[in-house]
Amino acid sequence: MDKSNIKKVEFTISGMTCESCGEHVNHEVNKLPGIISSNASYENGNAIVEFDNSKTNISEIEKAINSTGYSVADKKEN
């Protein structure tokens, strides 16, 4: 794995109401190739995702999050 391909993005997510919402987001995001870690937090209303940019991208991750029924309100690279 080429370290220069590793990106970390924080997605602000609206619509999560409990801990299992965060688990649902993590489950969907982790289905994508190249995901190193996904840490969705209902309390913080966000998900911090670390991934290999050569295998997936921000828009694919956003689609996976939106497919759970919650929506990405904002995103920023860390």
Side-chain angles (χ1 to χ4, degrees), residues 7-60:
K7 295 214 181 303
K8 191 182 249 187
V9 178
E10 179 181 349
F11 295 87
T12 304
I13 303 172
S14 61
M16 292 194 294
T17 57
C18 64
E19 272 311 312
S20 62
C21 295
E23 291 168 20
H24 190 54
V25 169
N26 286 334
H27 181 74
E28 281 305 309
V29 169
N30 282 318
K31 289 180 181 176
L32 296 170
I35 300 297
I36 296 163
S37 69
S38 173
N39 185 4
S41 168
Y42 143 71
E43 285 143 359
N44 298 328
N46 71 357
I48 297 170
V49 182
E50 193 172 4
F51 62 98
D52 182 336
N53 200 40
S54 69
K55 296 186 174 143
T56 193
N57 58 50
I58 292 170
S59 78
E60 288 300 311

